[in-house]
Amino acid sequence: MGRVVDDAIAAEFHEFFERYYAELSRLAYLLTGDADTADDLASDALLALWHRWDRVRAADHPVAYARGVVANLARSQIRSAVRERRRVSLFWSQRGERFDDPDVPAVVDVRAALRRLPFRKRACVVLRYALDISERDTALTLGISVGTVKSQSSRGMAELERLLGPGTTTEGVRATVASERAEGRS
C-alpha cells in the first residue's frame, strides 16, 4: 500500500515540476540576469520542495511558496556574488592597479536597469509585470504585505524610468518588462 501512495505523491510532484519549472526558472533569470544560474536556482528550489513535499502540498499556495524559495535562493546567490566581487576587488586593489568599476553599466535596456534596483523592488517589478503575478500572490511569494508590494512596485517602476532616461514612460517600461513574459528568456 505504501508504494501506491509513494507513486501518487511522486506523480503529483512531477506534475507540479512540469507545470512550474519554466516559470520558476524565468523568475530566477529575471532576478539574477544569468540563464545558467537561473536554471540551477530553479532546480535547487524544486529539489528543496521535493524534500518538503508533504508540507508544500499541504500549503494554501504551493506555487507562491515555490516562488518564495526561488526568490530567497536568488537573493543568496546575488549576495554571494557581491561578496566575491568585493574579495576580487580587494585583491586587485592591493596590487596597486586601478580599474573602472565593471558593474556600472550604461543603462540602455530594462534588464540592466532591473539589475540596479534593490532586490525587493526588483522582485516586485519582475513578479508583477514580467510574470503577471497578482499583488496578493506577489505578497505571498515574498512574505510581505500587499501594500508593500504596491509601494515597491510603484517605486521600482519610477526608478526604472529614471535609470532609463528622458522620454521613458511607465507604459514603455511595463511593456518592455512584460515582453520578457512573452518571449521567455532569451
Side-chain angles (χ1 to χ4, degrees):
M1 180 90 183
R3 177 84 174 138
V4 173
V5 171
D6 290 345
D7 288 344
I9 290 172
E12 181 184 30
F13 178 78
H14 181 75
E15 181 181 323
F16 183 88
F17 179 96
E18 291 294 325
R19 183 168 181 192
Y20 294 107
Y21 176 79
E23 176 188 327
L24 296 174
S25 182
R26 195 166 48 251
L27 169 61
Y29 174 71
L30 291 169
L31 292 174
T32 65
D34 181 75
D36 293 330
T37 299
D39 288 337
D40 290 345
L41 291 176
S43 297
D44 290 347
L46 285 161
L47 179 62
L49 293 173
W50 171 245
H51 289 295
R52 296 177 185 84
W53 188 242
D54 287 342
R55 220 178 322 159
V56 173
R57 65 196 285 251
D60 290 337
H61 305 283
V63 177
Y65 185 88
R67 291 179 190 133
V69 171
V70 169
N72 287 333
L73 288 172
R75 181 186 336 229
S76 295
Q77 190 279 331
I78 290 166
R79 286 179 178 164
S80 178
V82 167
R83 282 191 301 270
E84 182 63 23
R85 279 193 296 260
R86 285 182 184 149
R87 280 187 228 123
V88 168
S89 176
L90 283 173
F91 172 76
W92 285 109
S93 68
Q94 291 173 352
R95 299 187 71 193
E97 298 177 51
R98 303 295 294 171
F99 293 98
D100 291 336
D101 187 359
D103 291 335
V104 179
V107 183
V108 293
D109 66 1
V110 172
R111 289 180 185 166
L114 273 172
R115 286 191 293 272
R116 296 195 57 199
L117 292 178
F119 183 81
R120 184 177 283 177
K121 284 181 189 172
R122 182 182 340 147
C124 287
V125 168
V126 165
L127 287 166
R128 291 285 298 123
Y129 302 112
L131 297 180
D132 199 28
I133 307 296
S134 71
E135 290 169 341
R136 181 179 170 272
D137 287 345
T138 298
L140 285 168
T141 296
L142 299 175
I144 58 179
S145 72
V146 171
T148 300
V149 169
K150 289 178 182 182
S151 67
Q152 291 294 297
S153 297
S154 174
R155 290 176 184 156
M157 291 302 289
E159 195 167 332
L160 284 175
E161 281 183 52
R162 184 184 60 75
L163 290 170
L164 292 170
T168 304
T169 64
T170 300
E171 292 75 28
V173 172
R174 286 181 179 176
T176 305
V177 172
S179 72
E180 291 287 344
R181 179 176 60 246
E183 65 184 69
R185 292 185 290 125
S186 40

